[in-house]
Amino acid sequence: MLSILVPIYNYNVYPLVLELHNQCKDCGIAFEILCQDDASQSSLNAFNENVNALSNCSFVSLKENLAHRENRNSLAEQAKFDYLLFIDGDSIIIHDNFIKKYIDNLQDFDIVYGGRLHPEKCPSDNQKLRWKYGRFIEDKSAENRMKKPYQSLLFNNTFIKKECFNKVKFDKDIKKYGHDDTQLSYQLSLLKSKINHIENPVEHGDIDTNLIYLKKTKEALENLISLYEEEKIDIEFVRLIQLYHFLKRTKLSLLISKLFPLFENLLLKNLKGKNPNLLIFNIFRVGFICK
């Protein structure tokens, strides 16, 4: 029936797996939960070893780093059941009928996405940029996600048929963080895979600090530009690529690339601070891709 795939990097995944394990048993389904740490060599893996004591569950710590995309592909290759549930290791299950709700909504769909939420209060000022972007930009209701079903698909909490995933998989040639979901969702759109969005969110538990999120944002933007330049994604699929294409065509990107270094430190001062502004964050992203 169901293979739950949990990619991990330096995180205690045992509470998540225990909750998923108990819910699967309550549903009376055949299941397995596969957890794989991507060579983080973290001391937290001592807790993760407890996963192996749970029935139908396994934890492995890799000796060599695969990177996030290939770690997910590796888990999918090991899966023995027809349905896959990709769930990030830093997720928190907030509903006791989480698994049952997915099971009840599988019929006639290749993919079902439950969504993600961020906590109502930011854990600290040092995490406010990631928290704000998550809470006010990424967190969407199922109704809103269905307006752009493929563009709204993330693989942090996604139920998908194994035969469907095997037709696309994550691009192992891209090693940096970011936009792996975007590329895979685009490939699924080309296949016209049947997708459904439901209200079955997990909570994002491990929110990046401002500095780490800015570093990841830069890597993600570099990946996005690579997808654009290598024609691995349609211009119309991503709004930021649409804007970048327009700026290049009108030569405005050249002007922005010359102006951006003059203001970059000022923008970063806000984004690294206690009250980062999302408009400034968007300005920074546009300036960075033009540079």
Side-chain angles (χ1 to χ4, degrees):
M1 172 62 185
L2 176 60
S3 295
I4 301 178
L5 311 178
V6 189
I8 314 162
Y9 191 86
N10 189 30
Y11 201 77
N12 178 9
V13 78
Y14 183 73
L16 168 67
V17 176
L18 181 60
E19 178 64 24
L20 292 169
H21 175 267
N22 290 339
Q23 288 199 22
C24 286
K25 288 184 70 177
D26 289 344
C27 287
I29 60 171
F31 73 96
E32 64 178 350
I33 303 177
L34 308 180
C35 308
Q36 193 159 274
D37 176 80
D38 197 11
S40 71
Q41 299 182 342
S42 171
S43 60
L44 295 174
N45 286 339
F47 298 102
N48 293 331
E49 288 289 349
N50 294 320
V51 167
N52 291 313
L54 298 172
S55 59
N56 307 318
C57 298
S58 69
F59 166 76
V60 173
S61 179
L62 298 176
K63 302 300 182 185
E64 295 183 9
N65 183 267
L66 292 178
H68 191 53
R69 292 169 180 79
E70 194 58 13
N71 194 16
R72 289 176 171 183
N73 286 340
S74 172
L75 284 165
E77 287 172 6
Q78 298 171 54
K80 66 181 182 181
F81 290 115
D82 294 335
Y83 287 97
L84 312 177
L85 172 57
F86 284 97
I87 183 164
D88 285 354
D90 62 355
S91 302
I92 299 170
I93 306 299
I94 54 180
H95 298 297
D96 57 11
N97 63 342
F98 175 76
I99 293 296
K100 184 178 186 303
K101 199 162 186 180
Y102 269 129
I103 301 299
D104 290 344
N105 283 277
L106 282 180
Q107 194 170 2
D108 299 326
F109 293 103
D110 299 310
I111 310 133
V112 183
Y113 180 52
R116 177 171 63 187
L117 295 176
H118 287 75
E120 289 187 18
K121 292 184 179 180
C122 182
S124 73
D125 289 338
N126 194 34
Q127 298 165 288
K128 197 160 279 187
L129 178 61
R130 180 66 186 98
W131 176 80
K132 275 190 171 182
Y133 191 79
R135 186 154 177 83
F136 300 114
I137 304 298
E138 291 180 335
D139 295 356
K140 297 176 182 177
S141 67
E143 182 181 0
N144 282 332
R145 282 185 266 123
M146 278 302 293
K147 293 174 183 176
K148 290 189 173 183
Y150 295 104
Q151 288 89 336
S152 300
L153 176 63
L154 301 176
F155 270 78
N156 64 296
N157 172 28
T158 302
F159 220 106
I160 183 170
K161 288 181 179 178
K162 187 175 183 181
E163 64 177 353
C164 180
F165 178 79
N166 285 341
K167 291 177 183 177
V168 285
K169 297 187 178 182
F170 290 97
D171 190 341
K172 64 182 180 180
D173 295 329
I174 301 176
K175 301 299 183 184
K176 291 182 180 180
Y177 167 90
H179 286 291
D180 40 334
D181 297 330
T182 304
Q183 184 180 9
L184 195 71
S185 299
Y186 175 65
Q187 295 297 324
L188 290 169
S189 74
L190 296 181
L191 294 174
K192 293 182 169 46
S193 303
K194 296 177 182 177
I195 182 171
N196 189 23
H197 288 265
I198 64 173
E199 296 292 353
N200 199 26
V202 294
E203 185 175 295
H204 188 186
D206 189 21
I207 299 173
D208 290 326
T209 64
N210 296 347
L211 286 175
I212 290 175
Y213 188 53
L214 282 168
K215 178 179 180 293
K216 287 184 174 180
T217 295
K218 291 176 182 179
E219 290 184 2
L221 292 171
E222 289 169 354
N223 281 348
L224 190 60
I225 293 303
S226 294
L227 292 176
Y228 166 76
E229 292 178 343
E230 295 170 20
E231 298 182 347
K232 289 185 174 181
I233 197 165
D234 190 272
I235 293 166
E236 301 299 318
F237 195 74
V238 182
R239 275 195 308 178
L240 192 56
I241 286 296
Q242 290 180 45
L243 176 59
Y244 177 64
H245 182 71
F246 168 78
L247 293 173
K248 276 195 73 174
R249 196 179 59 197
T250 58
K251 310 297 184 185
L252 286 171
S253 61
L254 183 60
L255 174 63
I256 294 172
S257 69
K258 295 191 177 194
L259 291 175
F260 180 66
L262 302 176
F263 299 99
E264 185 174 5
N265 287 337
L266 190 61
L267 299 174
L268 286 172
K269 183 178 180 180
N270 172 271
L271 299 177
K272 292 176 183 178
K274 295 182 178 180
N275 192 26
N277 184 287
L278 291 181
L279 175 59
I280 289 175
F281 184 51
N282 282 334
I283 293 170
F284 172 82
R285 293 197 301 158
V286 172
F288 185 84
I289 61 172
C290 289
K291 185 182 79 167

